[in-house]
């Protein structure tokens, strides 16, 4: 039973590794032509590189038989130099071709990873560590890049040199060549034994690399460093980094050493060649089976050509084995299914009126025991203002995030203009929905580009108009370069309120049919709050708006107030009706909005 199981698992792992190999091969496939050219160039370089050994043989044999002439020697030296020059030039062409292939494959991998990541739902990113993803796109692909280029090049060259040397060795003396062949099964056996530990050690290194990248990304980001400094945690962060860094060093050394033991073994095996020569070569010369020149030439080819390139080949195979964890980590990202799937026949709508309906929607975050939204049914007619109220954690943000399909509900449907959002083309949804969130993110670029992000074709007049409505005009006038001032992480830092007004201007420019707004007032001082109050009112007109409302004026003027508690819709209706019913809304009204009176 156990042996049967073992057999099955080893067959399965063989199949899996074949499939893995084929998959890696598909990336090389499109470059077959270039690889073939590189192989030809490498073969040419290898053959020409062996010419000096033959010239040496001619020298020695000429000397031994007293046939020495300066002209002949000069011609031989000239030939040798020409062969070496040709070999060098072909080697150059080979490098150019192979490095190009390596760089193209790694660029393609980075692109595929980025494209695939862009398709993932927001949920994927809330569950992944950013540094870990960065590490896979940069460190892992970067590692493969070197291997695909330099190592592949080295393998092609070494393979050609080994083959050419072997052929020449057989031509020179088949008896000695046969003895040297014993090296092949020995090299294969040691590679097989060393493969698994090398793979695992390298996988540990890549994982630790990802941990460090994640740590750096967290601590060195503006928000992270502010937190570290405000709590005076520099020493602790230094210690945390030191221990992660030391761990990386330890794993890296272990990984390099795992490969080195094999290399030492290989070098030892490489000694078998000269031993065979000493034992059998002298014997063959003594009984005149081969000439002394042949023995010298054989020794040169076997030492410089065969043994050293075979050792290089096995060293490269070790590097390839070490690169497999990087492929695995890249494939893990590429194989992660896209949770929010695009319909195979998406409905493309150029303009949507913006009515939104929730039909018995239930949504649970992955890995959470309780639904964040349970059996929500509501209807917002085109142009209506819906206020979402409820205690913190009630599900207001979750509800608003389901409209642009940041997540898909497990049960129920969300309809925009009567179309299930799952059937709509993602571009139609994105065009129809505009969001102003509590935390505004600005890219590190000019204010103009940030404002135009949702509507790059807007004119300067549109831009001025949007900024006037969002009460940004005086801020822009005060900035050193106006619209062209660099903002964002390393640029001019806008205050929380200013950033929120930029987000409002951005959405005014986009002019969406459906607006989602987290109307957090915390960032706004009373002056700017009053200033954008009228902008807000204008923003709501003519579009369906879902507002996580913190302001009584918004709630009061809403066409529909949806009161959420623990993911359930406990009440809905207008301000007056809900106050009369004396439920959760009237309690919240007393506590939450009292200060607004
Ligand atoms: P509100 O906006 O009303 O404060 P949320 O919609 O943000 O509430 O959250 C509703 C519930 O879902 C909360 O219990 C919250 O902890 C949980 N939640 C929010 N985001 C996630 C997430 N990405 N993963 C798991 N649970 C989440």
């Amino acid at each position: 039973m156990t042996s049967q199981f073992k057999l099955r698992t080893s067959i399965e792992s063989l199949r899996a590794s074949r499939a893995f190999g084929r998959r890696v091969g598909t990336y090389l496939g499109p470059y077959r032509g270039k690889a073939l050219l590189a192989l030809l160039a490498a073969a040419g370089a290898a053959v020409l590189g062996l010419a000096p050994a033959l010239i040496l043989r001619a020298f020695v044999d000429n000397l031994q038989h007293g046939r020495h002439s300066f002209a002949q020697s000069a011609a031989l030296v000239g030939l040798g130099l020409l062969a070496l020059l040709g070999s060098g030039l072909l080697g150059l062409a080979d490098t150019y071709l192979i490095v190009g292939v390596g760089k193209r494959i790694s660029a393609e991998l980075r692109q595929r990873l980025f494209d695939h990541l862009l398709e993932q739902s927001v949920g994927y990113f809330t569950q992944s560590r950013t540094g870990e993803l960065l590490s896979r796109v940069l460190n892992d692909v970067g590692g493969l890049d070197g291997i695909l280029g330099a190592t592949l090049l080295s393998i092609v060259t070494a393979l050609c040199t080994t083959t050419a040397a072997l052929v020449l060795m057989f031509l020179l003396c088949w008896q000695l060549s046969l003895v040297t062949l014993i090296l092949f099964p020995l090299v294969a056996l040691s590679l097989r034994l060393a493969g698994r530990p090398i793979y695992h050690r390298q996988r540990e290194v890549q994982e630790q690399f990802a941990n460090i990248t994640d740590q750096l990304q967290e601590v060195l980001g503006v928000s992270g460093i502010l937190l570290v400094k405000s709590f005076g945690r520099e020493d602790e962060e230094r210690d945390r980094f030191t221990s992660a860094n030391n761990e990386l060093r330890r794993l890296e050394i272990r990984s390099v050493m795992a490969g080195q033991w094999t290399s030492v073994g290989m070098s030892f095996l490489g000694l078998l060649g000269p031993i065979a020569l000493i034992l059998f070569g002298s014997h063959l010369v003594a009984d005149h089976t081969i000439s002394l020149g042949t023995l010298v030439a054989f020794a040169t080819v076997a030492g410089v050509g065969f043994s050293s390139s075979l050792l290089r080949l096995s060293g490269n195979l070790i590097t390839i084995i070490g690169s497999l964890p990087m492929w695995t980590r890249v494939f893990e990202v590429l194989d992660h299914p896209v949770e929010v799937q695009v319909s195979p026949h998406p409905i493309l709508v150029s303009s949507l009126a913006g009515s939104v309906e929730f039909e018995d929607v239930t949504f649970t975050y992955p890995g959470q025991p309780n639904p964040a939204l349970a059996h929500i049914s509501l209807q917002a007619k085109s142009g209506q203002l819906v206020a979402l109220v409820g205690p913190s954690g009630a599900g207001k943000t979750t509800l608003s995030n389901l409209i642009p399909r940041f997540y898909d509900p497990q049960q129920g449907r969300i309809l925009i203009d009567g179309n299930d959002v799952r059937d709509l083309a993602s571009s139609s949804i994105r065009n129809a929905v505009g969001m102003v969130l509590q935390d505004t993110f600005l890219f590190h670029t000019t204010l103009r580009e940030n404002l135009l992000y949702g509507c790059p074709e807007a004119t300067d007049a549109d831009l001025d108009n949007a900024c006037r409505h969002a009460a940004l005009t005086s801020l822009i006038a005060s900035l050193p370069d106006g619209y062209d001032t660099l903002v964002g992480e390393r640029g001019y830092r806008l205050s929380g309120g200013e950033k929120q007004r930029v987000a409002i201007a951005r959405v005014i420019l986009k002019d969406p049919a459906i607006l989602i707004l987290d109307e957090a007032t915390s960032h706004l001082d009373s002056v700017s709050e009053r200033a954008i109050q009228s902008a807000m009112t204008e923003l709501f007109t003519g579009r369906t708006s879902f507002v996580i409302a913190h302001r009584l004026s918004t709630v009061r003027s809403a066409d529909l107030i949806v009161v959420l508690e623990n993911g359930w819709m406990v009440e809905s209706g207008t301000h007056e009706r809900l106050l009369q019913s004396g439920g959760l809304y009237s309690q919240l009204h007393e506590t939450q909005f009292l200060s607004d009176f």
Side-chain angles (χ1 to χ4, degrees):
M1 184 72 187
T2 326
S3 64
Q4 245 181 7
F5 175 73
K6 265 192 189 156
L7 183 67
R8 195 162 356 111
T9 47
S10 66
I11 289 173
E12 273 163 15
S13 78
L14 189 68
R15 275 204 196 118
S17 57
R18 279 217 188 115
F20 183 82
R22 264 201 301 276
R23 187 164 181 195
V24 171
T26 57
Y27 284 87
L28 290 164
Y31 305 104
R32 264 190 304 253
K34 282 208 165 78
L36 192 69
L37 268 182
L39 196 74
L40 287 177
V47 169
L48 289 177
L50 290 172
L54 292 177
I55 289 166
L56 193 66
R57 173 167 104 147
F59 259 126
V60 175
D61 284 348
N62 280 351
L63 273 179
Q64 207 185 14
H65 298 108
R67 294 194 301 259
H68 177 65
S69 101
F70 180 76
Q72 209 179 24
S73 303
L76 282 174
V77 168
L79 265 180
L81 284 177
L82 265 181
L84 283 180
L85 183 70
S87 165
L89 288 176
L90 282 174
L92 208 64
D94 185 26
T95 310
Y96 174 74
L97 287 165
I98 290 280
V99 168
V101 169
K103 296 282 175 203
R104 279 194 183 88
I105 293 177
S106 56
E108 186 186 324
L109 272 176
R110 270 194 299 272
Q111 189 68 51
R112 279 199 195 189
L113 283 168
F114 185 69
D115 293 349
H116 190 70
L117 286 170
L118 270 189
E119 298 216 334
Q120 291 292 353
S121 70
V122 175
Y124 177 84
F125 295 95
T126 57
Q127 285 174 308
S128 323
R129 295 180 303 151
T130 317
E132 166 78 44
L133 292 178
L134 287 183
S135 182
R136 289 184 195 231
V137 179
L138 297 174
N139 294 341
D140 292 331
V141 177
L144 287 176
D145 181 338
I147 287 159
L148 284 169
T151 311
L152 224 55
L153 170 74
S154 188
I155 284 190
V156 170
T157 322
L159 211 58
C160 290
T161 318
T162 312
T163 317
L166 204 62
V167 170
L168 188 57
M169 279 156 61
F170 266 97
L171 291 175
L172 287 169
C173 176
W174 62 268
Q175 297 92 329
L176 281 177
S177 305
L178 279 183
V179 178
T180 355
L181 280 192
I182 193 168
L183 275 180
F184 279 116
L186 292 175
V187 167
L189 183 71
S190 16
L191 277 177
R192 180 150 183 78
L193 289 178
R196 199 174 286 264
I198 292 172
Y199 177 90
H200 288 294
R201 295 293 92 80
Q202 189 57 34
R203 170 113 206 175
E204 286 168 352
V205 168
Q206 295 308 116
E207 277 163 11
Q208 186 59 13
F209 237 122
N211 286 339
I212 286 210
T213 315
D214 199 48
Q215 205 171 322
L216 287 175
Q217 192 264 338
E218 269 182 4
V219 174
L220 301 183
V222 175
S223 315
I225 205 78
L226 280 175
L227 186 70
V228 171
K229 296 224 175 265
S230 61
F231 281 89
R233 300 276 297 184
E234 287 92 338
D235 287 344
E236 286 79 359
E237 285 304 333
R238 200 174 289 120
D239 290 348
R240 200 157 74 94
F241 185 77
T242 307
S243 77
N245 200 18
N246 286 346
E247 178 65 2
L248 179 63
R249 183 201 57 204
R250 191 182 70 80
L251 292 172
E252 278 183 324
I253 293 174
R254 229 159 64 124
S255 166
V256 171
M257 288 320 287
Q260 287 312 302
W261 284 115
T262 326
S263 296
V264 170
M266 298 288 175
S267 308
F268 189 73
L269 290 179
L271 289 176
L272 289 180
I275 291 173
L277 284 183
I278 294 164
L279 290 181
F280 301 107
S282 48
H283 180 69
L284 291 173
V285 173
D287 66 10
H288 301 292
T289 311
I290 54 170
S291 69
L292 181 61
T294 304
L295 181 64
V296 173
F298 189 93
T300 315
V301 178
V304 180
F306 180 72
S307 288
S308 66
S309 55
L310 187 64
L311 289 184
R312 192 143 47 93
L313 195 62
S314 53
N316 287 323
L317 288 176
I318 291 172
T319 315
I320 294 277
I321 296 171
S323 81
L324 296 182
M326 301 176 201
W327 283 107
T328 315
R329 283 168 53 81
V330 165
F331 290 157
E332 275 167 6
V333 176
L334 290 178
D335 291 345
H336 196 281
V338 176
E339 279 149 23
V340 175
Q341 287 283 350
V342 180
S343 153
H345 306 291
I347 305 172
L348 258 174
V349 191
S350 56
S351 77
L352 286 161
S355 71
V356 178
E357 189 176 351
F358 278 64
E359 264 184 13
D360 192 28
V361 168
T362 296
F363 173 75
T364 310
Y365 282 104
Q368 298 298 310
N370 298 318
L373 287 177
H375 303 288
I376 303 288
S377 292
L378 64 89
Q379 202 169 6
K381 293 199 184 74
S382 167
Q384 279 192 329
L385 171 61
V386 180
L388 304 173
V389 297
S392 176
K396 306 181 290 291
T397 308
T398 309
L399 191 151
S400 63
N401 282 347
L402 293 185
I403 302 170
R405 278 194 90 191
F406 286 175
Y407 305 91
D408 274 341
Q410 286 84 11
Q411 193 190 315
R413 300 195 301 164
I414 294 153
L415 309 165
I416 299 183
D417 287 3
N419 302 297
D420 189 330
V421 285
R422 277 176 284 221
D423 298 331
L424 281 171
S426 42
S427 59
S428 300
I429 304 178
R430 303 282 188 258
N431 287 339
V433 181
M435 300 183 92
V436 179
L437 304 176
Q438 211 163 345
D439 287 314
T440 304
F441 180 76
L442 295 181
F443 284 106
H444 173 76
T445 180
T446 60
L447 185 58
R448 182 192 303 278
E449 281 187 55
N450 270 296
L451 285 165
L452 293 179
Y453 194 66
C455 181
E457 64 282 1
T459 62
D460 278 359
D462 296 335
L463 198 62
D464 288 339
N465 184 42
C467 288
R468 200 174 46 254
H469 281 105
L472 273 175
T473 312
S474 59
L475 169 76
I476 290 160
S478 73
L479 290 176
D481 296 314
Y483 284 122
D484 297 317
T485 307
L486 272 182
V487 292
E489 229 175 85
R490 283 164 296 123
Y492 184 91
R493 282 192 61 76
L494 299 175
S495 74
E498 288 164 347
K499 278 205 272 187
Q500 204 173 19
R501 282 184 278 151
V502 169
I504 290 172
R506 193 153 63 182
V507 96
I508 293 176
L509 278 169
K510 186 178 175 187
D511 191 22
I514 300 165
L515 173 74
I516 294 167
L517 192 119
D518 194 343
E519 192 206 31
T521 47
S522 53
H523 289 315
L524 298 181
D525 54 72
S526 54
V527 178
S528 44
E529 190 174 346
R530 231 173 299 126
I532 64 163
Q533 188 75 51
S534 58
M536 292 282 208
T537 318
E538 224 173 293
L539 199 58
F540 299 146
T541 44
R543 49 188 121 242
T544 320
S545 307
F546 285 80
V547 183
I548 298 176
H550 300 270
R551 220 185 305 250
L552 181 63
S553 56
T554 310
V555 180
R556 219 187 238 159
S557 60
D559 300 295
L560 176 70
I561 300 167
V562 173
V563 188
L564 294 169
E565 190 180 27
N566 292 327
W568 292 84
M569 190 166 98
V570 287
E571 283 177 300
S572 70
T574 56
H575 176 72
E576 280 73 25
R577 244 201 55 210
L578 290 175
L579 270 191
Q580 277 166 13
S581 70
L584 179 63
Y585 178 76
S586 64
Q587 288 167 30
L588 285 172
H589 179 260
E590 299 244 314
T591 52
Q592 216 171 316
F593 302 124
L594 217 50
S595 58
D596 275 11
F597 284 103

